[in-house]
Amino acid sequence: MTERKLAPEQIDNLFELCEFHNVHYYDVQIELVDHIASAIEVLWEANPELSFEEAVFQVGEQFGIEPFSHSSSNSILPSINGLSFSRESGFDAIKEAKEKELRRKYDRLQRKYIGEFFKLPKIILTLAITFALFLAFKFSNNAIILSYYVQGFYILSLAIYLIFIYPKKFRLSIITGKSFLLYEHFRNIKRGAIGTGVSSVNILALLRINPQFLNNIYWQLFVAFFITLSGITVAAICIDTPKRIKEDFIREFPQFVKS
Amino acid sequence: MGTNQLYKGSLSTIILKLLGEKGRMYGYQITQEVKAISSGEYVITEGALYPMLHKLEAQGLLTVEIEMTGNRMRKYYSITKNGKKEVANLMTEMESYIRNMQSLLNPKINLA
């Protein structure tokens, strides 16, 4: 006797089920669909006559997908008439955990990248930039104006990089119209870089409140180090992290990447 | 209270140990394997399994491969080098925990 397997349209129905339950990312959906499909096929081994809808219902219960009406024979999605149903399901916990872990993973990589600047040989580069800025502040006639120039140059360089270089260097085009959580994370990086870059301008506000800061050697050192650290963080966000995510995406979903 | 509560804290150890022994596995296969090994006593729920798999993957203890199986895609998990080191540590911790629990509880059991 041949084993009963799911037909392609039934697989499509399971993807619809994920969509219905607010799991819109394809990289999360494929795992859930395979799990439900595998469980259904195991149910069919014991009971080959069980309808697809009934099998989905039974497996869905394990995930805590409820209420889950299967009154229509053509659709596995809950019917709306007369039912007040919630889209909340056991899927939510899985989706949220995936989002959280993805964020954690790249935050950790980002911290690792930043940490590398505090190890030899990059520590020399960090110290050299900090020291150069410090000397510039110390020997400048107007350190406040100089700090404006430095920040202006920093923000302008970031804007030029993000507008002209970043899109070419980290272009990742996907073939289908599907959404990927990993791809979404990749697209959000730019926002993170802008946020960090712009937030470094806060130091200017601090200097404006009390311009005497820059007459103090420790503050000059602090401001020089703060700007350097902010630059390293932005470099981690817009150089290293997109590179890692792009590599991960190409490794996991090569069939969806446009060459 | 079911014994499932007792297993809860050991989920990552169970997954890593299983993948260390069996090689690569997919989510549903892990649930079935654990069920079979524990003679149905321990059932991993999907809501606990996938978040844990994603966590271990993000920590670099597991690696992922996606392949076409029949007419659907399947995500396989394998243990990494770091994962193998971690499972060795976790097993040592687990053995010492079991030993301590035995010495703590045995006298009471003997008294009964």
Side-chain angles (χ1 to χ4, degrees):
Chain A
M1 197 183 81
T2 52
E3 282 176 13
R4 192 174 166 196
K5 297 278 177 197
L6 269 92
E9 56 272 22
Q10 290 170 330
I11 297 287
D12 290 342
N13 278 339
L14 295 182
F15 276 108
E16 279 172 40
L17 181 73
C18 289
E19 282 284 342
F20 181 81
H21 284 287
N22 291 322
V23 181
H24 304 298
Y25 298 116
Y26 191 67
D27 33 358
V28 185
Q29 286 176 351
I30 48 173
E31 191 158 47
L32 296 175
V33 166
D34 181 50
H35 189 105
I36 299 172
S38 302
I40 290 173
E41 286 171 354
V42 168
L43 279 179
W44 280 346
E45 278 174 27
N47 184 3
E49 301 306 314
L50 191 71
S51 73
F52 171 66
E53 287 75 16
E54 185 57 37
V56 174
F57 179 69
Q58 285 187 23
V59 174
E61 274 185 327
Q62 295 166 14
F63 274 92
I65 310 167
E66 60 173 352
F68 189 70
S69 163
H70 53 117
S71 54
S72 161
S73 58
N74 296 323
S75 172
I76 59 162
L77 298 180
S79 64
I80 299 169
N81 290 344
L83 277 176
S84 59
F85 57 84
S86 152
R87 280 176 183 248
E88 286 191 7
S89 72
F91 285 1
D92 290 332
I94 296 170
K95 184 185 71 174
E96 280 159 22
K98 176 82 183 162
E99 284 171 359
K100 195 172 90 185
E101 292 309 331
L102 208 60
R103 259 196 312 275
R104 275 192 187 167
K105 177 181 172 179
Y106 293 107
D107 284 351
R108 203 164 26 237
L109 285 171
Q110 224 160 273
R111 280 198 300 273
K112 197 177 154 226
Y113 180 85
I114 295 167
E116 281 167 9
F117 278 88
F118 298 98
K119 282 182 198 152
L120 283 169
K122 282 182 180 164
I123 196 164
I124 296 166
L125 180 70
T126 309
L127 287 175
I129 298 170
T130 307
F131 195 62
L133 277 173
F134 166 71
L135 287 181
F137 285 138
K138 191 170 166 51
F139 295 108
S140 140
N141 291 331
N142 193 332
I144 293 279
I145 296 291
L146 178 68
S147 78
Y148 286 4
Y149 280 130
V150 170
Q151 293 278 4
F153 173 76
Y154 171 36
I155 296 295
L156 195 68
S157 312
L158 178 64
I160 291 170
Y161 176 80
L162 289 177
I163 295 168
F164 299 106
I165 304 168
Y166 185 90
K168 282 184 193 157
K169 204 171 159 80
F170 297 111
R171 191 168 48 207
L172 181 60
S173 315
I174 53 174
I175 288 169
T176 66
K178 294 185 191 307
S179 343
F180 290 84
L181 187 55
L182 199 52
Y183 185 68
E184 206 58 37
H185 202 76
F186 182 78
R187 281 162 38 126
N188 286 337
I189 284 173
K190 236 176 161 178
R191 235 173 285 163
I194 294 168
T196 311
V198 170
S199 70
S200 75
V201 179
N202 287 342
I203 195 83
L204 293 182
L206 198 67
L207 298 175
R208 233 186 349 257
I209 296 166
N210 187 356
Q212 294 312 309
F213 281 150
L214 281 175
N215 294 328
N216 179 307
I217 184 169
Y218 296 109
W219 272 102
Q220 286 168 351
L221 205 56
F222 170 75
V223 173
F225 182 68
F226 179 87
I227 295 171
T228 309
L229 183 66
S230 166
I232 293 171
T233 309
V234 169
I237 296 172
C238 57
I239 298 173
D240 192 59
T241 313
K243 193 172 136 237
R244 306 279 182 114
I245 299 183
K246 193 177 171 181
E247 282 166 4
D248 284 351
F249 193 91
I250 293 170
R251 184 175 50 81
E252 283 187 35
F253 307 102
Q255 62 275 51
F256 292 103
V257 179
K258 272 187 200 165
S259 52
Chain B
M1 185 184 95
T3 45
N4 264 12
Q5 280 297 102
L6 294 172
Y7 291 110
K8 242 181 182 176
S10 322
L11 185 56
S12 57
T13 316
I14 294 169
I15 293 172
L16 288 171
K17 179 86 176 132
L18 202 61
L19 289 169
E21 282 173 4
K22 304 265 174 188
R24 64 177 207 164
M25 292 173 94
Y26 56 95
Y28 184 74
Q29 193 184 6
I30 295 173
T31 61
Q32 296 310 292
E33 194 67 34
V34 170
K35 204 168 150 188
I37 294 171
S38 66
S39 312
E41 186 115 342
Y42 182 35
V43 180
I44 305 183
T45 61
E46 292 75 11
L49 174 73
Y50 289 106
M52 183 54 80
L53 285 171
H54 300 153
K55 190 176 174 180
L56 296 172
E57 184 198 342
Q59 287 173 343
L61 304 176
L62 298 182
T63 181
V64 166
E65 283 170 289
I66 296 170
E67 274 177 26
M68 203 66 188
T69 311
N71 50 17
R72 61 179 182 262
M73 291 179 113
R74 178 163 284 169
K75 196 169 171 182
Y76 286 97
Y77 292 89
S78 315
I79 193 162
T80 60
K81 218 168 150 185
N82 284 341
K84 282 179 186 163
K85 278 186 209 159
E86 181 67 13
V87 79
N89 293 337
L90 288 170
M91 288 310 290
T92 316
E93 277 174 29
M94 184 69 82
E95 277 159 21
S96 124
Y97 169 76
I98 292 168
R99 250 197 327 273
N100 291 336
M101 286 307 279
Q102 270 174 339
S103 33
L104 276 169
L105 299 175
N106 268 346
K108 287 178 190 168
I109 292 165
N110 290 341
L111 283 172

